[in-house]
Structure formats: C-alpha cells, structure tokens
Amino acid sequence: MKIYNFKLYWGNSMSNKIILTMKLTVIILITAFLQVHANSNAQNKVTLVERNAQLENVLKSIRKQTGYNLMFISNNIGKTTPITINVKDVDMEVALKLCFRNQPFTFTIDSKTIVVKEKLSVPSSKSGYGLKISGQVKDELGIAMPGVSVKVLGTSKVVITSSVGRYSIEADLKDSLEFVYVGYKTQRIAVRGLDDINVTMVGEDNKLNDVVVIGYGSQKKESVVSSISTIKGDDLKFPTRN
C-alpha cells in the first residue's frame, strides 16, 4: 500500500506556481516598457512637407505631431526666412535643426517644451575691425624702415611705420595688408588670423621714375641723378687765415 505525502506535493505545486507567476510578471513589465519606449520614439518622429512656409506654422505642425509645447521668447517671430522642407519620419530634433538653419532664431528643448529665442549677435568693435595687428618693417639688410605705408586693402584704413619701423593697425580676419614704400616692391599679406606680421621690404631696380623728396620740393629720380656731380677732397680745400 502506497502512502502519499500530500503536504510535500502541495508545497512543490505552490512553489512552481509562484515561480511561473514571477516569470509572467517580468514578461509583462518588459513588454509594457518596450511599448512605452516605442510610443515615446514614435511621438518624436515627424513628417514635414512644406514649401515657402513660415517658421511659426511649421512649428505648430511639429507640435501637433509630437504633443510638445511651444514657447516663443521674442516679439519678432514673424521676421523669419521662408522654409522649404520635405522629410518623412525623422527625429524631431533633426527636423528642428533643418527648420532653424539660416534663421535669426535658435531653439532649445526643455522637458516637453520647444523654446524659441533670437540668436545672440556678436558685439563688434567700435572701429568695425575685429583684430589688432602689429609688427615691424625692415629692409633687406635688417634695418628698420620708418615711413612705410600700411593699408587694409579695400578700406581707407592706413597707418605709417614709426621711427623704428613698427606699426599697429586693426583689420578683419579676411582682410589683407598692403605695404608700400618708394623704391621698394609693394607687398600684400593676408591676415588669416595672424596678430603679428613682420615684413622685409625688397628694393626695386630701375626706379628712375619714382618721385623723391628734396630740400626745395620734389622731382623725379632721373632728374636728381643727372644733377649730381662728383668732387674730390682737394677741391674742398680753402686758404686759411693766420
């Protein structure tokens, strides 16, 4: 005659049921999480087909598709560039970057709100130039050259080198400097972000047509050359008194 231990059987059965219930609970929780995550991602996807549309209208379409709120921190939202865009099921932030490209506005995403505000303008210097450039100008022998004209090309900005050949001038990153001196080759150097530009001037041959300054006015070099004569030291001797 067999004797069954019902308590042992009941205990094993209850243990299996608890484990099975826990497994089912975990599966349900994971499924629910994945569903919520999928719905969240789906809400961040937008489709836009617009041609020459106003930024405000495009943003309203994004709000309608995603459920995000809009906040405008500007009174000039109407002064925008018309938008032409054609995207399908793209991330909302990607679509926003496309919409705000070349616009005087920018955006941030705070929780469930798209905040729109004007771009901060970079303050310019009083002179209208962004970079202060300095340096020294010398000749081929390394001697400082005073009086060299230093000009920002395309502008009226001009300075003259000091007695030790130094100069200081303001220019923009895209500008070029022109160095000019009579009897020397004109040099042009692009700024390209440099703030210290030293220049060596190279002399030009056959510059007889250049104008030079003399004690009583100005005339061409060839006139000055033709009027120069050579004398010896003996010719400078004069009789002296006792």
Side-chain angles (χ1 to χ4, degrees), residues 131-182:
L131 186 65
K132 188 174 183 179
I133 305 166
S134 59
Q136 188 176 30
V137 181
K138 297 181 180 180
D139 62 12
E140 296 170 283
L141 300 178
I143 301 174
M145 293 183 62
V148 177
S149 173
V150 184
K151 179 181 180 180
V152 179
L153 282 178
T155 72
S156 59
K157 189 76 172 178
V158 181
V159 297
I160 303 298
T161 56
S162 67
S163 59
V164 292
R166 296 204 64 84
Y167 73 94
S168 179
I169 194 169
E170 292 181 341
D172 195 69
L173 294 175
K174 62 183 179 180
D175 288 332
S176 295
L177 300 183
E178 183 181 66
F179 298 81
V180 180
Y181 192 79
V182 174

Side-chain angles (χ1 to χ4, degrees), residues 1 9 13 20 30 45-46 59 65 67 74 76 79 88 118 132-133 149 159 169 177 182 192 197 203 235 239 241:
M1 179 177 179
Y9 174 78
S13 177
L20 180 60
I30 293 175
K45 300 293 183 179
V46 296
L59 292 177
Q65 295 182 52
S74 174
N76 300 320
K79 298 179 180 180
K88 182 179 181 180
E118 294 186 48
K132 188 174 183 179
I133 305 166
S149 173
V159 297
I169 194 169
L177 300 183
V182 174
R192 295 178 182 175
I197 299 178
D235 297 332
R241 291 182 179 180

Side-chain angles (χ1 to χ4, degrees), residues 14 20 32 35 53 79 83 87 104 110 141 151 162 172 179 216 238 242:
M14 288 299 297
L20 180 60
Q35 184 66 30
K79 298 179 180 180
I83 299 172
V87 294
D110 185 6
L141 300 178
K151 179 181 180 180
S162 67
D172 195 69
F179 298 81
Y216 50 84
F238 297 94
N242 189 349

Side-chain angles (χ1 to χ4, degrees), residues 8-162:
L8 179 64
Y9 174 78
W10 182 85
N12 290 335
S13 177
M14 288 299 297
S15 177
N16 290 335
K17 287 182 178 180
I18 291 173
I19 293 174
L20 180 60
T21 302
M22 291 177 63
K23 288 182 178 180
L24 291 175
T25 303
V26 171
I27 292 173
I28 292 172
L29 289 174
I30 293 175
T31 303
F33 174 79
L34 293 176
Q35 184 66 30
V36 170
H37 184 68
N39 291 336
S40 177
N41 287 337
Q43 287 182 349
N44 288 337
K45 300 293 183 179
V46 296
T47 297
L48 298 172
V49 181
E50 303 286 351
R51 184 175 181 83
N52 294 327
Q54 293 298 319
L55 175 62
E56 186 175 3
N57 295 333
V58 177
L59 292 177
K60 288 179 179 179
S61 178
I62 294 176
R63 179 186 63 182
K64 184 177 180 180
Q65 295 182 52
T66 62
Y68 274 62
N69 298 317
L70 288 175
M71 179 183 293
F72 299 99
I73 309 178
S74 174
N75 295 325
N76 300 320
I77 192 63
K79 298 179 180 180
T80 57
T81 303
I83 299 172
T84 297
I85 186 172
N86 189 344
V87 294
K88 182 179 181 180
D89 292 334
V90 299
D91 188 76
M92 179 188 67
E93 190 168 354
V94 174
L96 286 171
K97 288 180 179 179
L98 293 174
C99 293
F100 280 87
R101 185 172 54 187
N102 301 325
Q103 297 285 357
F105 298 89
T106 185
F107 75 94
T108 57
I109 299 175
D110 185 6
S111 185
K112 292 283 290 184
T113 302
I114 302 171
V115 182
V116 181
K117 54 186 177 181
E118 294 186 48
K119 289 181 179 178
L120 295 177
S121 58
V122 179
S124 58
S125 61
K126 293 181 180 179
S127 61
Y129 298 87
L131 186 65
K132 188 174 183 179
I133 305 166
S134 59
Q136 188 176 30
V137 181
K138 297 181 180 180
D139 62 12
E140 296 170 283
L141 300 178
I143 301 174
M145 293 183 62
V148 177
S149 173
V150 184
K151 179 181 180 180
V152 179
L153 282 178
T155 72
S156 59
K157 189 76 172 178
V158 181
V159 297
I160 303 298
T161 56
S162 67

